[in-house]
Amino acid sequence: MEGVSSFFKVGGRVPLLKLKYYGYDFDLLFVEVPCYIPLRKEYKENLNLEDTDKLINQIIFNLKMGPIEDIRSVILPLSGYRSNLYIAKLMEKNFENFRTLLLVLKIWAKNHFIYSGQFGFFNGTNLSVMACKTILLNKNKSIVHLLEQFYITFTKWDWTNPVLLESLVDHQQLAQQSNNSLDIQNYQDFISIKNSLNWDINSDYNKRRQVFGLDNYTIYDQNKHRLMQHAKRMWPIIAPGNPPQNSGFNINYSTSRILLSEMRL
C-alpha cells in the first residue's frame, strides 16, 4: 500500500495494529470475533453503539460455558471499540476541541516520557477519558482553558472516586435489558458472567494483589509493605466500554507520583 512503511499486529489484552503511514505512527484497535460464533444478520459492517452492545451480549452468551479469561480476550477489544463510540457520542458537539485537546495531551505526555500504559503511565484510552471528562466539566471553553483545567482537575482529583463518563448503574440495567434482546435460557448465568467482567472496586483490588504477588507472602516485611502501596487503587479511570474497564489499572504508587509531578510543573 502506498505510503505504508510498516504494518503489524501487537498482542495484549487489547490487540492493536501498528501502522506507519507517510512517517506518522498510528495505533488501530484490532477487534476479532471468533468465526464459530454465529452472528445475527442484521449487524452492519460499521456497528453503532446499540448494535455493539447487542453483539457483546450475544458473544458473552455464546461463550458463557467457557473460561472467563477466554471470554475476556474476545470481549475487551470490542469493549474498547464501544468505548470509542460512546466518547464520540458525548463529544459530538465538541469533537474538534476534544480531538485537539487529546492530541496536545498525547504530545505532552510523550515529550515528558510518561506515555506508556504497559509501564504504568498514560495511554490513549485513559487520556481520552480524562480529556472527555475535562470538556464535559468545562463546556464551550477554549483549548488553552481546557488544557489548564485538565491539569487542575486531575492534580486535585480525589482518587478514591473513579473518573466516570457513564454510570456503572447503566451497565447493570443494560445487562438486564439483554434478556429482551437475546434468547437467553440461563439468564442468571449470563448476568453472573457480566458482573464478573465489569469493573468494580473489590475485583480491581484483588487483581492488583495478584499482579504484585502479595498472596505469595507468608510473612509481613518491608518488601510486602512496599508492594501493598503499589497494589492500592491509584487512578481508576473507567473507560465506558461494555463491560467497563479501568484504563488506569497499570498506574501504581511510583508512577502516580511521577505523573502528578509532571502535571504540576
Side-chain angles (χ1 to χ4, degrees):
M1 184 184 298
E2 183 180 354
V4 177
S5 56
S6 66
F7 185 66
F8 57 93
K9 179 183 175 182
V10 178
R13 293 183 72 207
V14 180
L16 295 173
L17 295 177
K18 302 283 286 187
L19 169 69
K20 178 161 285 196
Y21 184 67
Y22 285 107
Y24 292 94
D25 292 319
F26 294 89
D27 291 343
L28 305 177
L29 187 64
F30 182 72
V31 179
E32 183 178 24
V33 178
C35 61
Y36 58 82
I37 295 180
L39 300 181
R40 297 185 173 191
K41 294 182 179 180
E42 66 264 25
Y43 293 138
K44 302 176 182 178
E45 184 176 347
N46 296 318
L47 297 173
N48 59 28
L49 195 60
E50 182 180 358
D51 285 341
T52 303
D53 283 330
K54 288 180 180 179
L55 177 58
I56 290 172
N57 289 334
Q58 183 187 348
I59 292 174
I60 292 174
F61 174 67
N62 289 340
L63 292 177
K64 67 181 183 297
M65 299 306 294
I68 193 68
E69 287 305 318
D70 289 350
I71 299 175
R72 186 175 279 111
S73 66
V74 175
I75 290 300
L76 286 185
L78 197 54
S79 177
Y81 174 74
R82 193 266 185 193
S83 176
N84 291 340
L85 289 178
Y86 190 83
I87 291 175
K89 180 181 178 181
L90 288 179
M91 294 289 98
E92 188 174 6
K93 296 182 179 179
N94 298 279
F95 195 76
E96 285 303 316
N97 272 355
F98 170 74
R99 185 169 62 177
T100 304
L101 178 61
L102 182 58
L103 176 62
V104 171
L105 289 172
K106 283 186 176 183
I107 293 173
W108 163 76
K110 289 181 179 181
N111 288 343
H112 286 249
F113 306 102
I114 52 172
Y115 188 84
S116 179
Q118 68 184 103
F119 294 116
F121 295 108
F122 288 130
N123 59 32
T125 302
N126 51 45
L127 281 180
S128 295
V129 173
M130 295 167 76
C132 182
K133 189 70 172 181
T134 302
I135 293 175
L136 291 175
L137 295 173
N138 302 273
K139 294 182 179 179
N140 302 318
K141 302 295 182 180
S142 68
I143 290 297
V144 173
H145 181 83
L146 290 172
L147 193 60
E148 179 185 40
Q149 288 303 309
F150 174 88
Y151 296 123
I152 292 174
T153 299
F154 294 111
T155 53
K156 296 182 178 180
W157 190 271
D158 178 6
W159 288 105
T160 59
N161 297 316
V163 179
L164 292 169
L165 300 179
E166 183 178 25
S167 170
L168 297 177
V169 176
D170 293 341
H171 281 277
Q172 295 175 355
Q173 294 174 347
L174 180 64
Q176 293 169 356
Q177 292 169 0
S178 302
N179 193 29
N180 299 325
S181 59
L182 294 173
D183 182 16
I184 300 177
Q185 297 176 354
N186 300 313
Y187 178 60
Q188 293 301 323
D189 290 341
F190 171 78
I191 294 298
S192 177
I193 294 172
K194 285 280 290 186
N195 289 338
S196 67
L197 291 169
N198 287 344
W199 177 87
D200 65 64
I201 293 174
N202 293 329
S203 66
D204 192 81
Y205 177 68
N206 291 333
K207 289 176 185 175
R208 293 178 72 86
R209 284 185 61 90
Q210 292 175 8
V211 168
F212 291 104
L214 283 170
D215 295 334
N216 298 328
Y217 283 82
T218 56
I219 60 173
Y220 187 86
D221 57 17
Q222 288 186 342
N223 194 43
K224 183 173 182 178
H225 175 73
R226 178 179 63 83
L227 292 175
M228 286 180 68
Q229 288 290 99
H230 286 286
K232 290 180 180 178
R233 181 164 47 98
M234 292 297 170
W235 290 41
I237 306 168
I238 311 306
N242 178 16
Q245 299 293 310
N246 180 8
S247 62
F249 179 83
N250 287 343
I251 298 175
N252 57 49
Y253 179 73
S254 297
T255 58
S256 173
R257 294 177 65 182
I258 294 171
L259 291 174
L260 289 174
S261 175
E262 292 295 329
M263 293 171 73
R264 287 170 178 153
L265 289 178

